[in-house]
Amino acid sequence: MRIGKKEDIDLFSSFLLQSIMAANSNMPTALDKEQIFGMAEKEMEYRVELFNKLTHTCFAKCVEKRYKESELNMGETSCIDRCVAKYWQVTNLVGQLLGSGRPPM
Amino acid sequence: MDKSMLGDLGTLPPEDQARMSTMIDQLQIRDSLRMYNTLVERCFTDCVDTFRRKTLDKQEETCVKRCAEKFLKHSMRVGMRFAELNQGAATPDE
């Protein structure tokens, strides 16, 4: 993840909004709110970690290491798209196998 | 960081917004540094393997530049797809 990339930021917003709005609407005590911010932070860290691993894994699997050009070619591009989709599927599969609907932290 | 997302957090009280903003800034800084390090490591490993001189030769330099550029493009593409998956958008299987 890097500075200036909107896609990265978008990942967080839905979860965060939900939890923090829930925290506010239920008039939480200070402790509840602390917990929710703590959870939101962990969730963000988890997403960043997942994104980084995914990026490194798919780069290693899809991108030609000789660097003859700086553009991604057609083959690499479609490999990347499929790699991301499959990595996601594996993430969900393993999550289910570990016995919870939530991604493992 | 892209501050435009804070518009989405507009429904939160200002103190929560500020807190989220700080949290995200810290995360971004930490992550930028980490990505800098790993990108250097990656491109160094892939591009530099002779040590006859103490400066990069033309070929190594070109390789490093392409490596970095390519990785950034890759990372942007992954970010785009990752965001789609996070939002639950199904992409057609081509």
Side-chain angles (χ1 to χ4, degrees), chain A residues 1-3 9 11 20 33-34 47-48 52 55-56 67-68 70-71 76-77 81-82, chain B residues 1 5 12 16 19 28 31 34-35 42 46 66 69-70 73-74 77 81-82 86 94:
Chain A
M1 236 178 90
R2 286 171 304 110
I3 287 173
I9 302 300
L11 320 175
I20 297 168
K33 206 158 174 171
E34 281 312 303
R47 296 274 154 196
V48 172
N52 285 334
T55 307
H56 292 137
Y67 307 117
K68 282 192 217 132
S70 59
E71 296 295 318
E76 288 168 338
T77 305
D81 290 352
R82 290 168 189 167
Chain B
M1 189 193 64
M5 76 158 292
L12 298 175
D16 289 355
R19 201 168 157 184
Q28 289 268 2
D31 199 64
R34 190 168 52 187
M35 111 86 112
R42 174 188 307 284
D46 289 347
R66 284 175 183 162
E69 239 177 90
K70 205 162 181 178
K73 282 172 190 159
H74 166 75
R77 186 155 192 105
R81 296 285 170 246
F82 188 61
N86 269 282
E94 329 142 36

Side-chain angles (χ1 to χ4, degrees), chain A residues 83-98:
Chain A
C83 178
V84 173
K86 282 188 147 178
Y87 196 96
W88 187 258
Q89 280 189 313
V90 173
T91 303
N92 291 329
L93 211 57
V94 173
Q96 283 163 11
L97 288 173
L98 288 175

